[in-house]
Amino acid sequence: MINLEHKTIVITGAAGALGTVIAKHLTDLGARVAALDILTPDEAAAALDLQPGRLDYWQCDTADIPSCQEALKDIAARLGMPDVVCCHAGLVGVAPIEGYDADDFDRLMQVNLRGAFVLAQAAVKQWLDTGATGQLIFTTSWVHDHPWPEITPYAASKAGLNALMRGFARELAGRGIRANAIAPGIVAAGMALKTWNENAEYRARASVAIPLGELQPVESVANAFAFMCSDLSAYMTGSVLTVDGGCSLYPNI
Ligand SMILES: NC(=O)c1ccc[n+]([C@@H]2O[C@H](COP(=O)([O-])OP(=O)(O)OC[C@H]3O[C@@H](n4cnc5c(N)ncnc54)[C@H](O)[C@@H]3O)[C@@H](O)[C@H]2O)c1
């Protein structure tokens, strides 16, 4: 059993389909979890089973520098210096390349790439300023190096996130800061489940793309986070933990 007592963990996108399950799992394993999302506190409280002192909520737009800095400062004061900061918030846009709107492209990059950089940078500054150490976890996706139709900007954002992760890992290893990524597959939650349910063509394509044969249980993503947040991952930096049911093993379409 993984024990996360004495860990303070920050996770963005915490009120989303995956984030709510991950935040609850980390809390159940003993961590103090700071759940961050752009949603209002009321909206977040409806999604998350908040537990004061164990699972608390901060409204934060990860693309906004002061918002990230203020949230991290307040978290350090109230829960203690974060041990792990998970840059998990992300958007997906689905459209064929010839119809993809450039403003939607900018918005997606703003959240998926800039938002992750801004929050990770704020965490790094806080750790370095106080002499603390910590780990960054970036949520990428199996599509970061396996093109999938109609989500090319999303796949590019995740490839960029992978490069960010490796850059943070390389530059900061000597100062006690690690960075890793978790790359899920096609999860039975949120954006993928909605598309699976509403789009027969997508369902047909996705159903042959998963070697293990079924949509990915969201709990498998939460388990990967539990491992990566624990001391069991202490010697890992610059790594991608791929948990995708084999999607990335071969081209399926
Ligand atoms: N669902 C999947 O199949 C799947 C697969 C691989 C990777 N992922 C990744 O997992 C993460 C979560 O996906 P999900 O399916 O739970 O999506 P989701 O849309 O359910 O959740 C995303 C959350 O991010 C929040 N958010 C959006 N912009 C924000 C911002 N600027 N600041 C703070 N929060 C913001 C949203 O309010 C939402 O609660 C994403 O990074 C996604 O790319 C999902």
Side-chain angles (χ1 to χ4, degrees):
M1 174 63 103
I2 288 175
N3 185 342
L4 297 178
E5 280 170 24
H6 313 301
K7 299 268 187 205
T8 298
I9 300 171
V10 175
I11 178 167
T12 66
L18 271 57
T20 48
V21 178
I22 297 165
K24 180 177 185 317
H25 191 49
L26 299 179
T27 307
D28 288 346
L29 292 174
R32 281 183 303 275
V33 175
L36 274 54
D37 204 288
I38 201 168
L39 299 182
T40 65
D42 283 348
E43 288 169 328
L48 285 157
D49 185 14
L50 296 173
Q51 304 169 40
R54 298 198 60 219
L55 176 52
D56 293 285
Y57 182 68
W58 279 261
Q59 185 174 13
C60 171
D61 178 354
T62 58
D64 180 65
I65 295 172
S67 180
C68 292
Q69 290 172 336
E70 281 161 26
L72 288 176
K73 196 172 159 198
D74 197 45
I75 290 162
R78 285 173 52 192
L79 301 184
M81 183 62 70
D83 300 288
V84 185
V85 172
C86 305
C87 299
H88 176 72
L91 308 177
V92 70
V94 182
I97 287 169
E98 67 275 19
Y100 207 100
D101 186 88
D103 289 338
D104 290 344
F105 182 96
D106 290 345
R107 175 69 191 143
L108 183 135
M109 291 298 170
Q110 176 88 356
V111 175
N112 292 15
L113 209 43
R114 186 179 190 278
F117 178 77
V118 162
L119 182 81
Q121 183 192 46
V124 165
K125 282 183 181 171
Q126 195 177 47
W127 284 324
L128 293 179
D129 286 350
T130 58
T133 58
Q135 183 191 187
L136 299 163
I137 298 176
F138 297 90
T139 303
T140 61
S141 163
W142 72 287
V143 300
H144 60 199
D145 53 7
H146 291 81
W148 183 257
E150 302 192 347
I151 56 167
T152 292
Y154 174 79
S157 76
K158 295 301 187 182
L161 205 48
N162 224 8
L164 268 191
M165 178 278 289
R166 288 169 56 80
F168 274 76
R170 180 69 184 83
E171 190 171 327
L172 296 164
R175 287 182 277 176
I177 296 172
R178 298 183 296 115
N180 291 294
I182 293 174
I186 305 176
V187 186
M191 48 186 108
L193 183 61
K194 186 167 183 290
T195 315
W196 174 277
N197 286 335
E198 293 174 2
N199 182 332
E201 185 273 329
Y202 172 85
R203 192 164 56 249
R205 196 154 37 88
S207 61
V208 295
I210 309 170
L212 286 189
E214 55 178 318
L215 280 178
Q216 178 170 1
V218 64
E219 292 75 18
S220 67
V221 183
N223 285 333
F225 272 84
F227 164 77
M228 199 60 102
C229 290
S230 78
D231 292 339
L232 294 175
S233 76
Y235 199 64
M236 291 174 72
T237 195
S239 297
V240 179
L241 178 57
T242 301
V243 186
D244 70 350
C247 286
S248 53
L249 285 174
Y250 51 83
N252 298 290
I253 51 168

